[in-house]
Amino acid sequence: VADLMKDLSADDRSDKYISHALQVRAAAQLGNYCAFFRLYSDAPGHSGYVMDTFIGRERFAALRRICRAYQPSVPLAAVSDALAFDDAAECAEWAEDHGATLAEERSYLDCKASKGQLVEHSIAAKREEERKAAERRAEATGGLKGWS
């Protein structure tokens, strides 16, 4: 990537899509989640769809930083805005699915309680994978019973 960036001409760098991509790369590399999610919200063309492929990873990293910085709690609306969610309910669902603890009727992120419980993977997706694996094992062992 560095070699490609080095070879970009001034015209290339002034293109709105390439300029946006370079800004996203810089924000992600520096861990500047405020700039990253602002760029995500203002992505030109279909750039937002490309960013969707790694938005979860960046949201999780930002959530961990928020939990370290804002103890004991922070309004969920502020977290939702910072992480570029459409609304606080969507943010609450995502945060809980990654181990966060919400307080006061899901209106605050309890940073102190959440800090040690956050998991990068989706808890719901992990449970679904485990359920499917158990079903496959049951089917496999059930099918073998007829062979004895």
Side-chain angles (χ1 to χ4, degrees), residues 34-57:
C34 294
F36 180 86
F37 290 109
R38 181 182 39 78
L39 289 164
Y40 176 68
S41 296
D42 300 334
H46 293 287
S47 300
Y49 296 114
V50 174
M51 292 178 75
D52 281 341
T53 61
F54 54 89
I55 197 74
R57 179 189 68 213

PDB file of all heavy atoms in Angstrom, residues 34-57:
ATOM      1  N   CYS A  34     -12.891   9.442  15.831  1.00  0.00           N
ATOM      2  CA  CYS A  34     -13.772  10.580  15.520  1.00  0.00           C
ATOM      3  C   CYS A  34     -13.690  10.923  14.031  1.00  0.00           C
ATOM      4  O   CYS A  34     -14.713  11.051  13.355  1.00  0.00           O
ATOM      5  CB  CYS A  34     -13.411  11.790  16.370  1.00  0.00           C
ATOM      6  SG  CYS A  34     -13.722  11.556  18.123  1.00  0.00           S
ATOM      7  N   ALA A  35     -12.478  11.058  13.518  1.00  0.00           N
ATOM      8  CA  ALA A  35     -12.292  11.359  12.099  1.00  0.00           C
ATOM      9  C   ALA A  35     -12.760  10.191  11.237  1.00  0.00           C
ATOM     10  O   ALA A  35     -13.404  10.393  10.196  1.00  0.00           O
ATOM     11  CB  ALA A  35     -10.822  11.668  11.816  1.00  0.00           C
ATOM     12  N   PHE A  36     -12.465   8.957  11.662  1.00  0.00           N
ATOM     13  CA  PHE A  36     -12.847   7.783  10.888  1.00  0.00           C
ATOM     14  C   PHE A  36     -14.362   7.730  10.686  1.00  0.00           C
ATOM     15  O   PHE A  36     -14.844   7.547   9.562  1.00  0.00           O
ATOM     16  CB  PHE A  36     -12.358   6.505  11.580  1.00  0.00           C
ATOM     17  CG  PHE A  36     -12.719   5.261  10.835  1.00  0.00           C
ATOM     18  CD1 PHE A  36     -11.905   4.788   9.829  1.00  0.00           C
ATOM     19  CD2 PHE A  36     -13.896   4.582  11.110  1.00  0.00           C
ATOM     20  CE1 PHE A  36     -12.246   3.644   9.121  1.00  0.00           C
ATOM     21  CE2 PHE A  36     -14.247   3.446  10.413  1.00  0.00           C
ATOM     22  CZ  PHE A  36     -13.422   2.975   9.418  1.00  0.00           C
ATOM     23  N   PHE A  37     -15.137   7.883  11.752  1.00  0.00           N
ATOM     24  CA  PHE A  37     -16.587   7.764  11.626  1.00  0.00           C
ATOM     25  C   PHE A  37     -17.212   8.985  10.953  1.00  0.00           C
ATOM     26  O   PHE A  37     -18.260   8.872  10.328  1.00  0.00           O
ATOM     27  CB  PHE A  37     -17.218   7.466  12.985  1.00  0.00           C
ATOM     28  CG  PHE A  37     -16.885   6.079  13.453  1.00  0.00           C
ATOM     29  CD1 PHE A  37     -16.027   5.871  14.504  1.00  0.00           C
ATOM     30  CD2 PHE A  37     -17.394   4.974  12.791  1.00  0.00           C
ATOM     31  CE1 PHE A  37     -15.687   4.589  14.908  1.00  0.00           C
ATOM     32  CE2 PHE A  37     -17.066   3.685  13.183  1.00  0.00           C
ATOM     33  CZ  PHE A  37     -16.219   3.500  14.242  1.00  0.00           C
ATOM     34  N   ARG A  38     -16.553  10.135  11.039  1.00  0.00           N
ATOM     35  CA  ARG A  38     -17.011  11.294  10.266  1.00  0.00           C
ATOM     36  C   ARG A  38     -16.834  11.003   8.778  1.00  0.00           C
ATOM     37  O   ARG A  38     -17.724  11.254   7.972  1.00  0.00           O
ATOM     38  CB  ARG A  38     -16.242  12.554  10.670  1.00  0.00           C
ATOM     39  CG  ARG A  38     -16.685  13.806   9.930  1.00  0.00           C
ATOM     40  CD  ARG A  38     -15.855  15.035  10.316  1.00  0.00           C
ATOM     41  NE  ARG A  38     -14.436  14.799  10.505  1.00  0.00           N
ATOM     42  CZ  ARG A  38     -13.548  14.666   9.520  1.00  0.00           C
ATOM     43  NH1 ARG A  38     -13.933  14.748   8.264  1.00  0.00           N
ATOM     44  NH2 ARG A  38     -12.276  14.471   9.783  1.00  0.00           N
ATOM     45  N   LEU A  39     -15.691  10.422   8.426  1.00  0.00           N
ATOM     46  CA  LEU A  39     -15.444  10.045   7.026  1.00  0.00           C
ATOM     47  C   LEU A  39     -16.418   8.959   6.575  1.00  0.00           C
ATOM     48  O   LEU A  39     -16.861   8.958   5.426  1.00  0.00           O
ATOM     49  CB  LEU A  39     -14.000   9.569   6.858  1.00  0.00           C
ATOM     50  CG  LEU A  39     -12.932  10.656   6.966  1.00  0.00           C
ATOM     51  CD1 LEU A  39     -11.563  10.044   7.175  1.00  0.00           C
ATOM     52  CD2 LEU A  39     -12.970  11.542   5.738  1.00  0.00           C
ATOM     53  N   TYR A  40     -16.747   8.038   7.450  1.00  0.00           N
ATOM     54  CA  TYR A  40     -17.714   6.982   7.119  1.00  0.00           C
ATOM     55  C   TYR A  40     -19.081   7.594   6.819  1.00  0.00           C
ATOM     56  O   TYR A  40     -19.738   7.217   5.847  1.00  0.00           O
ATOM     57  CB  TYR A  40     -17.806   5.995   8.283  1.00  0.00           C
ATOM     58  CG  TYR A  40     -18.848   4.918   8.094  1.00  0.00           C
ATOM     59  CD1 TYR A  40     -18.688   3.937   7.119  1.00  0.00           C
ATOM     60  CD2 TYR A  40     -19.973   4.872   8.893  1.00  0.00           C
ATOM     61  CE1 TYR A  40     -19.631   2.935   6.946  1.00  0.00           C
ATOM     62  CE2 TYR A  40     -20.926   3.877   8.731  1.00  0.00           C
ATOM     63  CZ  TYR A  40     -20.755   2.914   7.757  1.00  0.00           C
ATOM     64  OH  TYR A  40     -21.699   1.932   7.585  1.00  0.00           O
ATOM     65  N   SER A  41     -19.477   8.545   7.632  1.00  0.00           N
ATOM     66  CA  SER A  41     -20.787   9.192   7.429  1.00  0.00           C
ATOM     67  C   SER A  41     -20.835  10.025   6.152  1.00  0.00           C
ATOM     68  O   SER A  41     -21.882  10.161   5.542  1.00  0.00           O
ATOM     69  CB  SER A  41     -21.123  10.085   8.623  1.00  0.00           C
ATOM     70  OG  SER A  41     -21.259   9.303   9.784  1.00  0.00           O
ATOM     71  N   ASP A  42     -19.698  10.589   5.768  1.00  0.00           N
ATOM     72  CA  ASP A  42     -19.634  11.468   4.600  1.00  0.00           C
ATOM     73  C   ASP A  42     -18.985  10.795   3.391  1.00  0.00           C
ATOM     74  O   ASP A  42     -18.498  11.476   2.489  1.00  0.00           O
ATOM     75  CB  ASP A  42     -18.839  12.735   4.938  1.00  0.00           C
ATOM     76  CG  ASP A  42     -19.465  13.530   6.067  1.00  0.00           C
ATOM     77  OD1 ASP A  42     -20.698  13.409   6.257  1.00  0.00           O
ATOM     78  OD2 ASP A  42     -18.729  14.257   6.759  1.00  0.00           O
ATOM     79  N   ALA A  43     -18.981   9.469   3.349  1.00  0.00           N
ATOM     80  CA  ALA A  43     -18.298   8.739   2.277  1.00  0.00           C
ATOM     81  C   ALA A  43     -18.925   9.039   0.916  1.00  0.00           C
ATOM     82  O   ALA A  43     -20.141   8.967   0.759  1.00  0.00           O
ATOM     83  CB  ALA A  43     -18.350   7.243   2.546  1.00  0.00           C
ATOM     84  N   PRO A  44     -18.091   9.374  -0.079  1.00  0.00           N
ATOM     85  CA  PRO A  44     -18.622   9.653  -1.419  1.00  0.00           C
ATOM     86  C   PRO A  44     -18.957   8.361  -2.173  1.00  0.00           C
ATOM     87  O   PRO A  44     -18.308   7.327  -1.982  1.00  0.00           O
ATOM     88  CB  PRO A  44     -17.467  10.398  -2.100  1.00  0.00           C
ATOM     89  CG  PRO A  44     -16.239   9.867  -1.435  1.00  0.00           C
ATOM     90  CD  PRO A  44     -16.641   9.575  -0.015  1.00  0.00           C
ATOM     91  N   GLY A  45     -19.953   8.430  -3.007  1.00  0.00           N
ATOM     92  CA  GLY A  45     -20.310   7.295  -3.857  1.00  0.00           C
ATOM     93  C   GLY A  45     -20.576   6.033  -3.058  1.00  0.00           C
ATOM     94  O   GLY A  45     -21.297   6.034  -2.074  1.00  0.00           O
ATOM     95  N   HIS A  46     -19.953   4.955  -3.482  1.00  0.00           N
ATOM     96  CA  HIS A  46     -20.131   3.660  -2.825  1.00  0.00           C
ATOM     97  C   HIS A  46     -19.013   3.362  -1.827  1.00  0.00           C
ATOM     98  O   HIS A  46     -18.887   2.216  -1.374  1.00  0.00           O
ATOM     99  CB  HIS A  46     -20.200   2.552  -3.876  1.00  0.00           C
ATOM    100  CG  HIS A  46     -21.428   2.635  -4.728  1.00  0.00           C
ATOM    101  ND1 HIS A  46     -22.677   2.310  -4.256  1.00  0.00           N
ATOM    102  CD2 HIS A  46     -21.612   3.031  -6.012  1.00  0.00           C
ATOM    103  CE1 HIS A  46     -23.565   2.486  -5.208  1.00  0.00           C
ATOM    104  NE2 HIS A  46     -22.947   2.931  -6.286  1.00  0.00           N
ATOM    105  N   SER A  47     -18.243   4.354  -1.457  1.00  0.00           N
ATOM    106  CA  SER A  47     -17.133   4.150  -0.515  1.00  0.00           C
ATOM    107  C   SER A  47     -17.628   3.635   0.834  1.00  0.00           C
ATOM    108  O   SER A  47     -16.943   2.867   1.505  1.00  0.00           O
ATOM    109  CB  SER A  47     -16.359   5.449  -0.298  1.00  0.00           C
ATOM    110  OG  SER A  47     -15.821   5.910  -1.506  1.00  0.00           O
ATOM    111  N   GLY A  48     -18.821   4.050   1.231  1.00  0.00           N
ATOM    112  CA  GLY A  48     -19.389   3.578   2.494  1.00  0.00           C
ATOM    113  C   GLY A  48     -19.596   2.080   2.509  1.00  0.00           C
ATOM    114  O   GLY A  48     -19.401   1.421   3.530  1.00  0.00           O
ATOM    115  N   TYR A  49     -19.945   1.518   1.345  1.00  0.00           N
ATOM    116  CA  TYR A  49     -20.129   0.072   1.255  1.00  0.00           C
ATOM    117  C   TYR A  49     -18.794  -0.662   1.418  1.00  0.00           C
ATOM    118  O   TYR A  49     -18.744  -1.732   2.012  1.00  0.00           O
ATOM    119  CB  TYR A  49     -20.794  -0.316  -0.064  1.00  0.00           C
ATOM    120  CG  TYR A  49     -22.182   0.234  -0.202  1.00  0.00           C
ATOM    121  CD1 TYR A  49     -22.480   1.179  -1.173  1.00  0.00           C
ATOM    122  CD2 TYR A  49     -23.204  -0.168   0.645  1.00  0.00           C
ATOM    123  CE1 TYR A  49     -23.759   1.686  -1.303  1.00  0.00           C
ATOM    124  CE2 TYR A  49     -24.489   0.335   0.525  1.00  0.00           C
ATOM    125  CZ  TYR A  49     -24.760   1.274  -0.454  1.00  0.00           C
ATOM    126  OH  TYR A  49     -26.022   1.776  -0.566  1.00  0.00           O
ATOM    127  N   VAL A  50     -17.748  -0.069   0.889  1.00  0.00           N
ATOM    128  CA  VAL A  50     -16.416  -0.656   1.058  1.00  0.00           C
ATOM    129  C   VAL A  50     -16.031  -0.584   2.539  1.00  0.00           C
ATOM    130  O   VAL A  50     -15.520  -1.557   3.108  1.00  0.00           O
ATOM    131  CB  VAL A  50     -15.363   0.067   0.181  1.00  0.00           C
ATOM    132  CG1 VAL A  50     -13.972  -0.441   0.476  1.00  0.00           C
ATOM    133  CG2 VAL A  50     -15.699  -0.092  -1.289  1.00  0.00           C
ATOM    134  N   MET A  51     -16.312   0.530   3.170  1.00  0.00           N
ATOM    135  CA  MET A  51     -15.983   0.692   4.584  1.00  0.00           C
ATOM    136  C   MET A  51     -16.814  -0.240   5.465  1.00  0.00           C
ATOM    137  O   MET A  51     -16.372  -0.608   6.562  1.00  0.00           O
ATOM    138  CB  MET A  51     -16.176   2.146   5.009  1.00  0.00           C
ATOM    139  CG  MET A  51     -15.174   3.096   4.385  1.00  0.00           C
ATOM    140  SD  MET A  51     -15.447   4.805   4.852  1.00  0.00           S
ATOM    141  CE  MET A  51     -14.840   4.787   6.539  1.00  0.00           C
ATOM    142  N   ASP A  52     -17.993  -0.627   5.002  1.00  0.00           N
ATOM    143  CA  ASP A  52     -18.833  -1.554   5.768  1.00  0.00           C
ATOM    144  C   ASP A  52     -18.117  -2.871   6.034  1.00  0.00           C
ATOM    145  O   ASP A  52     -18.435  -3.561   7.003  1.00  0.00           O
ATOM    146  CB  ASP A  52     -20.150  -1.841   5.036  1.00  0.00           C
ATOM    147  CG  ASP A  52     -21.158  -0.720   5.190  1.00  0.00           C
ATOM    148  OD1 ASP A  52     -21.013   0.102   6.120  1.00  0.00           O
ATOM    149  OD2 ASP A  52     -22.107  -0.673   4.381  1.00  0.00           O
ATOM    150  N   THR A  53     -17.147  -3.228   5.187  1.00  0.00           N
ATOM    151  CA  THR A  53     -16.447  -4.496   5.357  1.00  0.00           C
ATOM    152  C   THR A  53     -15.568  -4.508   6.608  1.00  0.00           C
ATOM    153  O   THR A  53     -15.270  -5.575   7.125  1.00  0.00           O
ATOM    154  CB  THR A  53     -15.588  -4.848   4.122  1.00  0.00           C
ATOM    155  OG1 THR A  53     -14.596  -3.833   3.937  1.00  0.00           O
ATOM    156  CG2 THR A  53     -16.446  -4.985   2.880  1.00  0.00           C
ATOM    157  N   PHE A  54     -15.168  -3.336   7.094  1.00  0.00           N
ATOM    158  CA  PHE A  54     -14.326  -3.302   8.295  1.00  0.00           C
ATOM    159  C   PHE A  54     -14.845  -2.352   9.364  1.00  0.00           C
ATOM    160  O   PHE A  54     -14.166  -2.081  10.352  1.00  0.00           O
ATOM    161  CB  PHE A  54     -12.864  -2.978   7.947  1.00  0.00           C
ATOM    162  CG  PHE A  54     -12.671  -1.719   7.145  1.00  0.00           C
ATOM    163  CD1 PHE A  54     -12.493  -0.506   7.768  1.00  0.00           C
ATOM    164  CD2 PHE A  54     -12.654  -1.766   5.764  1.00  0.00           C
ATOM    165  CE1 PHE A  54     -12.302   0.650   7.031  1.00  0.00           C
ATOM    166  CE2 PHE A  54     -12.460  -0.621   5.008  1.00  0.00           C
ATOM    167  CZ  PHE A  54     -12.286   0.593   5.645  1.00  0.00           C
ATOM    168  N   ILE A  55     -16.065  -1.882   9.215  1.00  0.00           N
ATOM    169  CA  ILE A  55     -16.619  -0.934  10.182  1.00  0.00           C
ATOM    170  C   ILE A  55     -16.787  -1.565  11.559  1.00  0.00           C
ATOM    171  O   ILE A  55     -16.585  -0.904  12.581  1.00  0.00           O
ATOM    172  CB  ILE A  55     -17.943  -0.305   9.669  1.00  0.00           C
ATOM    173  CG1 ILE A  55     -18.293   0.954  10.462  1.00  0.00           C
ATOM    174  CG2 ILE A  55     -19.085  -1.293   9.735  1.00  0.00           C
ATOM    175  CD1 ILE A  55     -17.451   2.115  10.118  1.00  0.00           C
ATOM    176  N   GLY A  56     -17.139  -2.845  11.609  1.00  0.00           N
ATOM    177  CA  GLY A  56     -17.311  -3.519  12.894  1.00  0.00           C
ATOM    178  C   GLY A  56     -16.034  -3.535  13.716  1.00  0.00           C
ATOM    179  O   GLY A  56     -16.049  -3.279  14.928  1.00  0.00           O
ATOM    180  N   ARG A  57     -14.922  -3.818  13.048  1.00  0.00           N
ATOM    181  CA  ARG A  57     -13.621  -3.841  13.725  1.00  0.00           C
ATOM    182  C   ARG A  57     -13.282  -2.463  14.290  1.00  0.00           C
ATOM    183  O   ARG A  57     -12.828  -2.336  15.435  1.00  0.00           O
ATOM    184  CB  ARG A  57     -12.548  -4.293  12.737  1.00  0.00           C
ATOM    185  CG  ARG A  57     -11.155  -4.338  13.332  1.00  0.00           C
ATOM    186  CD  ARG A  57     -10.099  -4.581  12.285  1.00  0.00           C
ATOM    187  NE  ARG A  57     -10.010  -3.414  11.418  1.00  0.00           N
ATOM    188  CZ  ARG A  57      -9.709  -3.451  10.128  1.00  0.00           C
ATOM    189  NH1 ARG A  57      -9.461  -4.592   9.540  1.00  0.00           N
ATOM    190  NH2 ARG A  57      -9.640  -2.351   9.417  1.00  0.00           N
TER     191      ARG A  57
END
